[in-house]
Amino acid sequence: MSSNLVARIAWTVPAVLLLLSIHQIVTAVNLGRTLDEGEQAIAEVTRYERSDRKDVTHVELDLLVRMQDGTILERTRMALPYSIGHRVEAESLSVTVLPGGGQEVVITQIGRTQARIAWSNGAMSFLAFLMAFVGVFSWNRWLSRKIGQAA
């Protein structure tokens, strides 16, 4: 594989990092919007799974949300940040619901923390994007000059 091809393919790294950054920022905004504009409800925890293995750490739960108007929403396989998952070990939780929102159901107790984590992830991935962009741009520029000198 030629250096030029690898240099062109390397542009996928900053592109993916930029997309990851955008995703995390949108997630943080959606979490905040649901917490600010949503309605309060109580959710029954139908499944709580926490894996403390060294190679796989995660927290996942299923919720049955009972809205004030009597409707029931079911959310399955809700993944939570491992570092705050222990804070929601209960049979029922207070949740904030915004039907049609980007994050329809947010556990009220940890919602602001989740939003801060998403903002932080977005900032870190944006910094990584900037570093990767400068690196790939510099490498591509160096290669084009090197090829230009050889011709």
Side-chain angles (χ1 to χ4, degrees), residues 15-92:
V16 167
L17 288 168
L18 181 61
L19 292 174
L20 178 61
S21 182
I22 292 168
H23 176 269
Q24 288 299 295
I25 290 168
V26 168
T27 298
V29 168
N30 287 337
L31 284 165
R33 184 168 169 249
T34 297
L35 288 168
D36 293 339
E37 299 173 15
E39 82 177 70
Q40 295 297 313
I42 299 296
E44 176 187 341
V45 179
T46 57
R47 183 181 66 89
Y48 178 90
E49 180 181 318
R50 179 182 174 117
S51 173
D52 293 318
R53 292 182 7 209
K54 289 182 182 182
D55 57 334
V56 179
T57 56
H58 77 279
V59 174
E60 190 176 88
L61 48 88
D62 296 343
L63 298 177
L64 203 58
V65 181
R66 299 180 195 290
M67 302 296 291
Q68 292 175 359
D69 64 3
T71 59
I72 295 177
L73 301 173
E74 184 177 10
R75 293 295 177 260
T76 59
R77 303 183 56 91
M78 289 181 65
L80 299 177
Y82 179 78
S83 59
I84 59 175
H86 67 280
R87 292 170 46 189
V88 297
E89 290 184 52
E91 291 182 15
S92 65

Coordinates of all heavy atoms in Angstrom, one line a residue, residues 15-92:
A15 N -12.1 12.3 11.3 CA -13.5 12.4 10.9 C -14.4 11.6 12.0 O -15.4 12.1 12.5 CB -13.8 11.8 9.5
V16 N -13.9 10.4 12.4 CA -14.6 9.6 13.4 C -14.6 10.4 14.7 O -15.6 10.4 15.4 CB -14.0 8.2 13.5 CG1 -14.5 7.5 14.7 CG2 -14.3 7.4 12.2
L17 N -13.5 11.0 15.1 CA -13.4 11.7 16.3 C -14.3 12.9 16.4 O -14.9 13.2 17.4 CB -11.9 12.1 16.6 CG -11.0 11.0 17.0 CD1 -9.6 11.4 17.0 CD2 -11.4 10.5 18.4
L18 N -14.4 13.6 15.2 CA -15.4 14.7 15.1 C -16.8 14.2 15.3 O -17.6 14.8 16.0 CB -15.2 15.5 13.8 CG -16.1 16.7 13.6 CD1 -15.9 17.7 14.7 CD2 -15.9 17.3 12.3
L19 N -17.2 13.1 14.6 CA -18.5 12.6 14.8 C -18.8 12.2 16.2 O -19.9 12.4 16.7 CB -18.7 11.4 13.8 CG -18.7 11.8 12.3 CD1 -18.8 10.5 11.5 CD2 -19.9 12.7 12.0
L20 N -17.8 11.6 16.9 CA -18.0 11.2 18.3 C -18.2 12.4 19.1 O -19.1 12.4 20.0 CB -16.8 10.4 18.7 CG -16.8 9.9 20.2 CD1 -17.9 9.0 20.5 CD2 -15.4 9.3 20.5
S21 N -17.5 13.4 18.9 CA -17.6 14.7 19.7 C -19.0 15.2 19.5 O -19.7 15.6 20.4 CB -16.5 15.7 19.2 OG -16.6 16.8 20.0
I22 N -19.5 15.3 18.2 CA -20.8 15.8 18.0 C -21.9 15.0 18.6 O -22.8 15.5 19.2 CB -21.0 15.9 16.4 CG1 -20.1 17.0 15.8 CG2 -22.5 16.2 16.1 CD1 -20.1 17.0 14.3
H23 N -21.7 13.7 18.6 CA -22.7 12.8 19.2 C -22.8 13.0 20.7 O -23.9 13.1 21.3 CB -22.3 11.3 19.0 CG -23.2 10.3 19.7 ND1 -22.9 9.9 20.9 CD2 -24.3 9.8 19.3 CE1 -23.8 9.1 21.3 NE2 -24.7 9.0 20.4
Q24 N -21.6 13.2 21.4 CA -21.6 13.4 22.8 C -22.2 14.8 23.2 O -22.9 14.9 24.2 CB -20.2 13.3 23.4 CG -19.7 11.9 23.4 CD -20.5 11.0 24.3 OE1 -20.6 11.2 25.5 NE2 -21.2 10.0 23.7
I25 N -22.0 15.8 22.4 CA -22.5 17.1 22.6 C -24.1 17.1 22.5 O -24.8 17.6 23.3 CB -21.9 18.2 21.8 CG1 -20.4 18.4 22.2 CG2 -22.6 19.5 21.8 CD1 -19.6 19.2 21.3
V26 N -24.5 16.4 21.4 CA -26.0 16.3 21.2 C -26.6 15.5 22.3 O -27.7 15.9 22.8 CB -26.3 15.6 19.8 CG1 -27.7 15.2 19.7 CG2 -25.9 16.5 18.7
T27 N -25.9 14.5 22.8 CA -26.4 13.7 24.0 C -26.6 14.6 25.2 O -27.6 14.5 25.9 CB -25.5 12.5 24.2 OG1 -25.5 11.6 23.1 CG2 -26.0 11.7 25.4
A28 N -25.5 15.4 25.5 CA -25.6 16.2 26.6 C -26.7 17.2 26.5 O -27.4 17.5 27.5 CB -24.2 17.0 26.8
V29 N -26.9 17.8 25.4 CA -28.0 18.8 25.2 C -29.3 18.1 25.4 O -30.2 18.6 26.0 CB -27.9 19.4 23.8 CG1 -29.1 20.2 23.4 CG2 -26.7 20.3 23.7
N30 N -29.5 16.9 24.8 CA -30.8 16.2 24.9 C -31.1 15.8 26.4 O -32.2 15.9 26.8 CB -30.8 14.9 24.1 CG -30.9 15.3 22.6 OD1 -31.4 16.3 22.2 ND2 -30.5 14.4 21.7
L31 N -30.0 15.4 27.1 CA -30.2 15.1 28.6 C -30.7 16.3 29.3 O -31.7 16.2 30.1 CB -28.9 14.5 29.2 CG -28.5 13.1 28.8 CD1 -27.1 12.8 29.2 CD2 -29.4 12.1 29.5
G32 N -30.0 17.4 29.1 CA -30.4 18.7 29.8 C -31.8 19.1 29.4 O -32.6 19.5 30.3
R33 N -32.2 19.0 28.1 CA -33.5 19.4 27.7 C -34.6 18.5 28.3 O -35.6 19.0 28.8 CB -33.6 19.2 26.2 CG -34.9 19.7 25.6 CD -34.9 19.8 24.1 NE -36.2 20.0 23.6 CZ -36.9 19.2 22.9 NH1 -36.3 18.0 22.5 NH2 -38.1 19.4 22.5
T34 N -34.4 17.2 28.4 CA -35.3 16.3 29.1 C -35.5 16.7 30.5 O -36.6 16.8 31.1 CB -34.9 14.8 28.9 OG1 -34.9 14.5 27.5 CG2 -35.9 13.9 29.6
L35 N -34.4 16.9 31.2 CA -34.4 17.3 32.6 C -35.1 18.6 32.8 O -35.9 18.8 33.8 CB -33.0 17.3 33.2 CG -32.4 16.0 33.4 CD1 -30.9 16.1 33.7 CD2 -33.1 15.1 34.5
D36 N -35.0 19.6 31.9 CA -35.6 20.9 32.1 C -37.0 20.9 31.7 O -37.8 21.6 32.3 CB -34.8 21.9 31.3 CG -33.4 22.2 31.8 OD1 -33.1 21.9 33.0 OD2 -32.5 22.7 31.0
E37 N -37.4 20.2 30.6 CA -38.7 20.3 30.0 C -39.6 19.1 30.3 O -40.8 19.2 30.0 CB -38.6 20.6 28.5 CG -37.9 21.8 28.2 CD -37.6 22.0 26.7 OE1 -38.3 21.2 25.9 OE2 -36.8 22.8 26.3
G38 N -39.1 18.0 30.8 CA -39.9 16.8 30.9 C -40.7 16.8 32.1 O -40.7 17.7 33.0
E39 N -41.6 15.8 32.2 CA -42.5 15.6 33.4 C -42.0 14.5 34.3 O -41.3 13.5 33.8 CB -43.9 15.4 32.9 CG -44.2 13.9 32.6 CD -45.7 13.8 32.2 OE1 -46.1 14.2 31.2 OE2 -46.4 13.1 33.0
Q40 N -42.2 14.7 35.6 CA -41.7 13.7 36.5 C -42.6 12.5 36.5 O -43.8 12.5 36.3 CB -41.7 14.3 37.9 CG -40.8 15.5 38.1 CD -39.3 15.0 37.9 OE1 -38.9 14.0 38.5 NE2 -38.6 15.8 37.1
A41 N -42.0 11.3 36.7 CA -42.7 10.0 36.8 C -41.9 9.1 37.7 O -40.8 9.4 38.1 CB -42.9 9.4 35.4
I42 N -42.6 8.0 38.0 CA -41.9 6.9 38.8 C -41.7 5.7 37.9 O -42.6 5.4 37.2 CB -42.7 6.6 40.1 CG1 -42.9 7.7 41.0 CG2 -42.1 5.4 40.8 CD1 -41.6 8.3 41.6
A43 N -40.5 5.2 38.0 CA -40.2 4.0 37.1 C -39.9 2.8 38.0 O -39.2 2.9 39.0 CB -39.1 4.3 36.2
E44 N -40.5 1.7 37.7 CA -40.1 0.4 38.4 C -38.9 -0.2 37.7 O -38.9 -0.3 36.4 CB -41.3 -0.5 38.3 CG -41.1 -1.9 38.9 CD -42.3 -2.8 38.6 OE1 -43.4 -2.3 38.3 OE2 -42.0 -4.0 38.7
V45 N -38.0 -0.6 38.4 CA -36.8 -1.3 37.9 C -37.1 -2.7 37.7 O -37.3 -3.4 38.7 CB -35.5 -1.0 38.7 CG1 -34.3 -1.8 38.1 CG2 -35.2 0.4 38.9
T46 N -37.2 -3.2 36.5 CA -37.6 -4.6 36.3 C -36.3 -5.5 36.1 O -36.4 -6.7 36.2 CB -38.5 -4.8 35.0 OG1 -37.8 -4.2 33.9 CG2 -39.8 -4.1 35.3
R47 N -35.2 -4.9 35.8 CA -33.9 -5.6 35.7 C -32.8 -4.6 35.9 O -32.8 -3.5 35.4 CB -33.8 -6.2 34.3 CG -32.5 -7.1 34.2 CD -32.4 -7.7 32.7 NE -32.2 -6.6 31.8 CZ -31.0 -6.2 31.4 NH1 -29.9 -6.6 31.9 NH2 -30.9 -5.2 30.4
Y48 N -31.9 -5.1 36.8 CA -30.7 -4.3 37.0 C -29.5 -5.2 36.9 O -29.4 -6.3 37.6 CB -30.7 -3.7 38.5 CG -29.5 -2.9 38.8 CD1 -29.4 -1.6 38.6 CD2 -28.4 -3.5 39.4 CE1 -28.2 -0.8 38.9 CE2 -27.2 -2.8 39.7 CZ -27.2 -1.5 39.5 OH -26.0 -0.8 39.8
E49 N -28.6 -4.9 36.0 CA -27.4 -5.8 35.8 C -26.1 -4.9 35.9 O -26.0 -3.9 35.2 CB -27.5 -6.4 34.4 CG -26.3 -7.3 34.1 CD -26.4 -7.9 32.7 OE1 -27.5 -8.3 32.3 OE2 -25.4 -8.0 32.0
R50 N -25.2 -5.4 36.8 CA -24.0 -4.7 37.0 C -22.9 -5.7 36.9 O -22.9 -6.7 37.6 CB -23.9 -4.0 38.3 CG -22.6 -3.2 38.6 CD -22.7 -2.6 40.0 NE -21.4 -2.0 40.3 CZ -21.2 -0.7 40.5 NH1 -22.2 0.1 40.4 NH2 -20.0 -0.3 40.7
S51 N -21.9 -5.5 35.9 CA -20.8 -6.4 35.8 C -19.6 -5.7 36.3 O -19.2 -4.6 35.8 CB -20.6 -6.7 34.3 OG -19.4 -7.5 34.1
D52 N -18.9 -6.3 37.3 CA -17.7 -5.8 37.9 C -16.5 -6.5 37.5 O -15.4 -6.3 38.1 CB -17.9 -5.9 39.4 CG -18.9 -5.0 40.0 OD1 -19.0 -3.8 39.5 OD2 -19.7 -5.4 40.9
R53 N -16.6 -7.3 36.4 CA -15.4 -8.0 35.9 C -14.4 -7.0 35.4 O -14.7 -5.9 34.9 CB -15.7 -8.9 34.8 CG -16.6 -10.1 35.2 CD -16.9 -11.1 34.1 NE -16.3 -10.8 32.9 CZ -16.8 -11.2 31.7 NH1 -18.0 -11.7 31.7 NH2 -16.2 -11.0 30.6
K54 N -13.1 -7.3 35.5 CA -12.0 -6.4 35.1 C -12.1 -6.1 33.6 O -11.8 -5.0 33.2 CB -10.7 -6.9 35.5 CG -10.4 -6.9 37.0 CD -9.1 -7.4 37.4 CE -8.9 -7.3 38.9 NZ -7.6 -7.7 39.3
D55 N -12.4 -7.1 32.8 CA -12.4 -6.9 31.4 C -13.7 -6.3 30.9 O -13.7 -5.7 29.8 CB -12.2 -8.3 30.7 CG -13.1 -9.4 31.0 OD1 -13.7 -9.3 32.2 OD2 -13.4 -10.3 30.2
V56 N -14.8 -6.5 31.6 CA -16.1 -5.9 31.2 C -16.8 -5.3 32.4 O -17.2 -5.9 33.3 CB -17.0 -7.0 30.6 CG1 -18.4 -6.4 30.2 CG2 -16.4 -7.7 29.4
T57 N -16.9 -3.9 32.4 CA -17.6 -3.2 33.4 C -18.7 -2.5 32.8 O -18.5 -1.7 31.8 CB -16.7 -2.3 34.2 OG1 -16.1 -1.3 33.3 CG2 -15.6 -3.0 34.9
H58 N -19.9 -2.7 33.2 CA -21.1 -2.0 32.7 C -22.3 -2.1 33.7 O -22.3 -2.9 34.6 CB -21.5 -2.5 31.3 CG -22.3 -3.8 31.4 ND1 -21.7 -5.0 31.5 CD2 -23.6 -4.0 31.3 CE1 -22.6 -6.0 31.5 NE2 -23.8 -5.4 31.4
V59 N -23.2 -1.1 33.5 CA -24.4 -1.2 34.3 C -25.6 -1.0 33.2 O -25.5 -0.2 32.4 CB -24.5 0.0 35.3 CG1 -25.9 0.0 36.0 CG2 -23.4 -0.1 36.3
E60 N -26.5 -1.9 33.4 CA -27.7 -1.9 32.4 C -28.9 -2.2 33.2 O -28.9 -3.0 34.1 CB -27.4 -2.9 31.3 CG -28.4 -2.9 30.2 CD -28.0 -3.9 29.1 OE1 -28.4 -5.0 29.2 OE2 -27.2 -3.5 28.2
L61 N -30.0 -1.5 32.8 CA -31.3 -1.8 33.5 C -32.5 -1.6 32.6 O -32.4 -1.0 31.5 CB -31.4 -0.9 34.7 CG -31.2 0.6 34.6 CD1 -32.4 1.4 34.2 CD2 -30.7 1.1 36.0
D62 N -33.6 -2.2 33.0 CA -34.8 -2.1 32.3 C -35.8 -1.4 33.2 O -35.8 -1.6 34.4 CB -35.4 -3.5 32.0 CG -34.6 -4.3 31.0 OD1 -33.7 -3.7 30.3 OD2 -34.8 -5.5 30.9
L63 N -36.6 -0.4 32.6 CA -37.5 0.3 33.4 C -38.9 0.2 32.9 O -39.2 0.1 31.7 CB -37.2 1.8 33.4 CG -35.8 2.2 34.0 CD1 -35.6 3.7 33.8 CD2 -35.7 1.9 35.4
L64 N -39.9 0.3 33.8 CA -41.3 0.3 33.5 C -41.8 1.7 34.1 O -41.9 1.8 35.3 CB -42.1 -0.8 34.1 CG -43.4 -1.2 33.5 CD1 -43.2 -1.6 32.0 CD2 -44.0 -2.4 34.2
V65 N -42.0 2.7 33.2 CA -42.4 4.0 33.6 C -43.9 4.2 33.7 O -44.5 4.0 32.6 CB -41.7 5.1 32.7 CG1 -42.0 6.5 33.2 CG2 -40.2 4.8 32.6
R66 N -44.4 4.6 34.8 CA -45.8 4.9 34.9 C -46.0 6.4 34.9 O -45.6 7.1 35.8 CB -46.4 4.3 36.2 CG -46.2 2.8 36.3 CD -46.8 2.2 37.6 NE -46.3 0.8 37.8 CZ -46.7 -0.2 37.0 NH1 -47.5 -0.1 36.1 NH2 -46.2 -1.4 37.3
M67 N -46.6 6.9 33.8 CA -46.8 8.3 33.7 C -48.1 8.7 34.5 O -48.9 7.9 34.9 CB -47.1 8.6 32.2 CG -45.9 8.2 31.3 SD -44.4 9.1 31.6 CE -44.9 10.7 31.1
Q68 N -48.2 10.0 34.7 CA -49.3 10.6 35.5 C -50.6 10.4 34.9 O -51.6 10.2 35.5 CB -49.0 12.0 35.8 CG -47.9 12.3 36.7 CD -47.5 13.7 36.9 OE1 -48.2 14.6 36.4 NE2 -46.5 14.0 37.8
D69 N -50.6 10.3 33.5 CA -51.9 10.1 32.8 C -52.3 8.6 32.7 O -53.3 8.3 32.1 CB -51.9 10.7 31.4 CG -50.8 10.1 30.5 OD1 -50.2 9.1 30.9 OD2 -50.7 10.6 29.3
G70 N -51.5 7.7 33.3 CA -51.8 6.3 33.3 C -51.1 5.5 32.2 O -51.1 4.3 32.3
T71 N -50.5 6.1 31.3 CA -49.8 5.4 30.2 C -48.5 4.8 30.8 O -47.9 5.3 31.8 CB -49.4 6.2 29.0 OG1 -48.6 7.3 29.5 CG2 -50.6 6.8 28.3
I72 N -48.1 3.7 30.2 CA -46.9 3.0 30.7 C -45.9 2.9 29.6 O -46.2 2.5 28.4 CB -47.2 1.6 31.2 CG1 -48.1 1.6 32.4 CG2 -46.0 0.8 31.5 CD1 -48.6 0.3 32.9
L73 N -44.7 3.4 29.8 CA -43.6 3.3 28.9 C -42.6 2.2 29.4 O -42.3 2.2 30.6 CB -42.8 4.6 28.8 CG -43.6 5.9 28.4 CD1 -42.7 7.1 28.5 CD2 -44.0 5.7 26.9
E74 N -42.1 1.4 28.5 CA -41.1 0.4 28.8 C -39.8 0.8 28.1 O -39.7 1.0 26.9 CB -41.6 -1.0 28.4 CG -40.6 -2.0 28.8 CD -41.1 -3.4 28.5 OE1 -42.1 -3.6 27.7 OE2 -40.5 -4.4 28.9
R75 N -38.7 0.8 28.9 CA -37.4 1.1 28.4 C -36.5 -0.1 28.8 O -36.4 -0.4 29.9 CB -36.8 2.4 28.9 CG -37.5 3.6 28.4 CD -37.3 3.8 26.9 NE -38.1 4.9 26.4 CZ -39.3 4.8 25.8 NH1 -39.9 3.7 25.6 NH2 -39.8 5.9 25.3
T76 N -35.9 -0.7 27.8 CA -35.1 -1.9 28.1 C -33.6 -1.6 27.7 O -33.3 -0.7 26.8 CB -35.5 -3.1 27.3 OG1 -35.5 -2.8 25.9 CG2 -36.9 -3.5 27.7
R77 N -32.7 -2.3 28.3 CA -31.3 -2.2 28.0 C -30.7 -0.8 28.1 O -30.0 -0.4 27.2 CB -31.0 -2.9 26.7 CG -31.4 -4.3 26.7 CD -31.1 -5.0 25.4 NE -29.7 -5.0 25.1 CZ -28.8 -5.9 25.5 NH1 -29.2 -6.9 26.2 NH2 -27.5 -5.8 25.2
M78 N -31.2 0.0 29.1 CA -30.6 1.3 29.3 C -29.2 1.2 29.9 O -29.1 0.7 31.0 CB -31.5 2.2 30.2 CG -32.9 2.5 29.6 SD -33.9 3.5 30.7 CE -32.9 5.0 30.8
A79 N -28.2 1.6 29.2 CA -26.9 1.6 29.7 C -26.6 2.9 30.5 O -27.0 4.0 30.1 CB -25.9 1.4 28.5
L80 N -25.9 2.7 31.6 CA -25.5 3.8 32.4 C -24.0 3.8 32.5 O -23.3 2.8 32.5 CB -26.1 3.7 33.8 CG -27.6 3.7 33.9 CD1 -28.0 3.5 35.3 CD2 -28.2 5.0 33.3
P81 N -23.4 5.0 32.8 CA -21.9 5.0 33.1 C -21.7 4.2 34.3 O -22.4 4.3 35.3 CB -21.7 6.5 33.4 CG -22.8 7.3 32.7 CD -24.0 6.4 32.7
Y82 N -20.7 3.3 34.2 CA -20.3 2.4 35.3 C -20.1 3.1 36.6 O -20.5 2.7 37.7 CB -19.1 1.6 34.9 CG -18.7 0.6 36.0 CD1 -19.4 -0.6 36.2 CD2 -17.6 0.9 36.8 CE1 -19.0 -1.5 37.1 CE2 -17.2 0.0 37.8 CZ -17.9 -1.2 37.9 OH -17.6 -2.1 38.9
S83 N -19.4 4.3 36.5 CA -19.0 5.0 37.7 C -20.2 5.5 38.6 O -20.0 5.8 39.7 CB -18.1 6.2 37.4 OG -18.8 7.1 36.5
I84 N -21.4 5.7 38.0 CA -22.5 6.2 38.7 C -23.6 5.2 38.8 O -24.7 5.5 39.4 CB -23.0 7.5 38.2 CG1 -23.5 7.4 36.7 CG2 -22.0 8.6 38.4 CD1 -24.1 8.6 36.1
G85 N -23.4 4.0 38.3 CA -24.5 3.0 38.2 C -24.9 2.5 39.6 O -26.1 2.2 39.8
H86 N -24.0 2.5 40.6 CA -24.3 2.1 41.9 C -25.4 3.0 42.6 O -26.0 2.6 43.6 CB -23.1 2.0 42.8 CG -22.5 3.4 43.1 ND1 -21.7 4.0 42.1 CD2 -22.5 4.2 44.1 CE1 -21.3 5.2 42.6 NE2 -21.8 5.3 43.8
R87 N -25.5 4.2 42.1 CA -26.4 5.2 42.7 C -27.9 4.9 42.4 O -28.8 5.6 42.9 CB -26.0 6.6 42.3 CG -24.7 7.0 42.8 CD -24.1 8.3 42.3 NE -25.0 9.4 42.2 CZ -24.7 10.5 41.6 NH1 -23.5 10.7 41.0 NH2 -25.6 11.5 41.5
V88 N -28.1 4.0 41.5 CA -29.5 3.7 41.1 C -30.0 2.3 41.4 O -30.9 1.8 40.8 CB -29.8 4.0 39.6 CG1 -29.6 5.5 39.3 CG2 -28.9 3.1 38.7
E89 N -29.3 1.7 42.4 CA -29.7 0.3 42.8 C -30.9 0.5 43.7 O -30.8 0.7 44.9 CB -28.6 -0.4 43.5 CG -27.4 -0.8 42.6 CD -26.4 -1.5 43.4 OE1 -26.7 -2.5 44.1 OE2 -25.2 -1.1 43.3
A90 N -32.1 0.4 43.1 CA -33.4 0.5 43.9 C -34.5 -0.2 43.1 O -34.3 -0.6 41.9 CB -33.7 2.0 44.0
E91 N -35.6 -0.4 43.8 CA -36.7 -1.1 43.1 C -37.5 -0.1 42.3 O -38.2 -0.5 41.3 CB -37.6 -1.7 44.1 CG -37.0 -2.9 44.8 CD -37.9 -3.6 45.8 OE1 -39.1 -3.3 45.8 OE2 -37.4 -4.4 46.6
S92 N -37.5 1.2 42.6 CA -38.2 2.2 41.8 C -37.3 3.5 41.8 O -36.5 3.7 42.8 CB -39.6 2.5 42.4 OG -39.5 3.1 43.6

